[in-house]
Amino acid sequence: MTIDVLRRPGPAERQARAAVAVLFFTNGALFANLLPRYPQIKAELGIGNAAYGLAVAAFPAGAVVAGLGAGVLVRRLGSARAAVVSTLLTAAGILVAGLAQSVVLFATALFLAGAMDAFTDVAQNAHGLRVQRRYGRSIINSFHAIWSIGAVTGGAMAAGAIALDLPLGAHLLISGVLFGVAACVALRFCLPGPDTEPAEETGTGTETETKGEPREKGSAGGGRSAVTSRTRYVLAALVLIATAGTLVEDAGNSWAALYLSGSLNASAALAASGFIALVGAQFIGRILGDRLVDRFGQRAVARAGGFIAAAGMGLALAVPTVPGTILGFAAAGFGVATLVPAAMHEADELPGLKPGSGLTIVSWLMRLGFLLSPPIVGLVADEAGLRLGLLVVPLAGALVVVLAGVLGARKRQPADGEG
């Protein structure tokens, strides 16, 4: 059993936290620079909707195919170096995709960029969790909030480039170089040494061992105990919790505007508010998430979030109105804000797994939610209407309420005199 003793983080920990924030920001901004350019690329390639749909699906497909290799890369290079190397390769893949003169090259470049993005995702979260252990309190949600800021920034950059009629190649080269340099600079301030170094957690930042007890954490202490059936059950539950979060996110990405405009007859401008409400509320939830987790524990926060998502979106679907539905998507986004970071944190701490393995498995399998959710919701919508298809949101929230028990409870604060 381990506990965290809160201490004021030193300069190295504060610099490392800022460096990881930069990595999350660049990861969110890079791909967001390409997304608004998709219509231009589709027109220049002269492809139809079917070919275009298959081509852009190459990005999540690459992430799913390559995702399981992320743990190996993190163990060989270290989480910080792996995050930066894969960031640079992601930027290169995005640039090639933007310059592609054929649909085959476009899809191939997206596939490779998606694979590298999966590596970045695992590596930056692994290093962020390493910094969190040094802090002795939750900070992982703030990194995911900064990723959202990066995505908004990247989208705004692309919109500006389009407004200025900046050539696609020049735009993506500028963004790739800018964020690539930022990632390389951030590497200088990341935590040094291997991720499995036991002594790293007992330095100036945080003590995580008490009274000589050995660490049992998988990635932090390098423990090699056998994987038990309990570990497998917890890992499976964590995958489902993270997937529930991605299902809700995808509902906002893929269906919010369509449901509001098609089923509820909202104007095009107002229909966009569903997605904006979900993403905005999710950002607020992540900004508040670390304080909530420190005060109440991952378990209570996730359970309350699952209830908010299920009740908010369930009520919106039961009594369909435009304002109510927008509020329902906002409730869903706020409710699932901490789920993916929480699942990644718990997976990275599971005993008996190689460093990075639990985090890799959760990150890999949750991406299936993004890949499988649109066709599943679409099939239900074709048969029974989109309103019924969107029941995936309250059902995902209810699933989190049931499974939240595998997440950590509030940490015991040491009594006076305890060390």
Side-chain angles (χ1 to χ4, degrees):
M1 180 67 66
T2 63
I3 63 172
D4 290 330
V5 180
L6 300 182
R7 291 185 175 183
R8 185 180 299 277
E13 286 75 28
R14 291 195 293 270
Q15 290 177 355
R17 181 177 183 177
V20 174
V22 170
L23 294 177
F24 272 81
F25 182 90
T26 59
N27 182 245
L30 274 172
F31 190 55
N33 266 277
L34 179 64
L35 285 174
R37 292 284 200 162
Y38 272 175
Q40 177 185 345
I41 294 172
K42 179 177 180 293
E44 290 180 353
L45 292 177
I47 55 179
N49 290 327
Y52 167 76
L54 288 173
V56 297
F59 189 90
V64 170
V65 170
L68 281 180
V72 176
L73 185 68
V74 168
R75 289 192 291 272
R76 289 187 177 180
L77 297 182
S79 55
R81 287 193 183 92
V84 173
V85 169
S86 54
T87 293
L88 297 176
L89 293 175
T90 300
I94 289 171
L95 176 60
V96 172
L99 296 175
Q101 298 299 308
S102 70
V103 67
V104 173
L105 181 57
F106 175 60
T108 301
L110 283 181
F111 183 91
L112 294 176
M116 294 303 102
D117 181 72
F119 291 165
T120 304
D121 187 38
V122 172
Q124 67 187 10
N125 275 286
H127 204 76
L129 290 169
R130 183 181 170 194
V131 175
Q132 176 171 279
R133 287 192 290 270
R134 296 283 288 263
Y135 264 69
R137 57 184 172 85
S138 179
I139 60 174
I140 191 66
N141 290 289
S142 66
F143 293 139
H144 286 257
I146 289 169
W147 184 95
S148 299
I149 297 174
V152 172
T153 301
M157 286 177 61
I162 293 171
L164 294 172
D165 202 23
L166 192 66
L168 180 57
H171 162 217
L172 294 180
L173 179 62
I174 291 171
S175 68
V177 171
L178 176 64
F179 296 120
V181 169
C184 290
V185 172
L187 178 61
R188 297 185 54 196
F189 300 97
C190 290
L191 294 175
D195 294 303
T196 56
E197 183 182 3
E200 76 176 7
E201 309 300 343
T202 59
T204 59
T206 302
E207 287 185 357
T208 55
E209 297 181 283
T210 61
K211 301 180 181 179
E213 293 180 3
R215 290 187 61 88
E216 296 179 358
K217 308 288 187 182
S219 64
R224 292 293 183 268
S225 58
V227 179
T228 64
S229 57
R230 166 69 180 172
T231 298
R232 295 189 186 95
Y233 163 74
V234 171
L235 185 58
L238 294 175
V239 168
L240 291 175
I241 289 172
T243 302
T246 62
L247 286 174
V248 174
E249 288 183 38
D250 183 73
N253 294 344
S254 302
W255 303 106
L258 185 61
Y259 176 65
L260 283 163
S261 62
S263 301
L264 301 182
N265 299 315
S267 66
L270 188 56
S273 301
F275 168 72
I276 294 171
L278 186 144
V279 174
Q282 185 180 56
F283 171 74
I284 294 171
R286 285 174 171 172
I287 288 293
L288 299 175
D290 290 316
R291 291 185 180 181
L292 293 173
V293 167
D294 285 334
R295 182 167 184 177
F296 301 107
Q298 295 276 21
R299 183 183 304 165
V301 172
R303 193 166 276 156
F307 176 79
I308 290 171
M313 198 62 196
L315 181 61
L317 293 173
V319 186
T321 64
V322 171
T325 299
I326 293 172
L327 290 175
F329 277 113
F334 185 83
V336 304
T338 66
L339 295 186
V340 171
M344 287 182 168
H345 170 259
E346 295 295 332
D348 199 48
E349 299 287 298
L350 284 175
L353 299 177
K354 292 181 179 180
S357 294
L359 180 60
T360 298
I361 291 170
V362 169
S363 178
W364 177 63
L365 288 177
M366 78 175 187
R367 289 177 180 268
L368 292 176
F370 284 117
L371 197 61
L372 299 178
S373 174
I376 292 174
V377 174
L379 286 172
V380 175
D382 283 344
E383 294 296 325
L386 186 51
R387 182 182 172 192
L388 190 61
L390 284 175
L391 280 176
V392 67
V393 175
L395 289 176
L399 181 65
V400 171
V401 173
V402 173
L403 296 177
V406 302
L407 298 172
R410 182 185 179 188
K411 290 185 176 68
R412 180 180 67 87
Q413 296 299 319
D416 292 340
E418 277 191 309

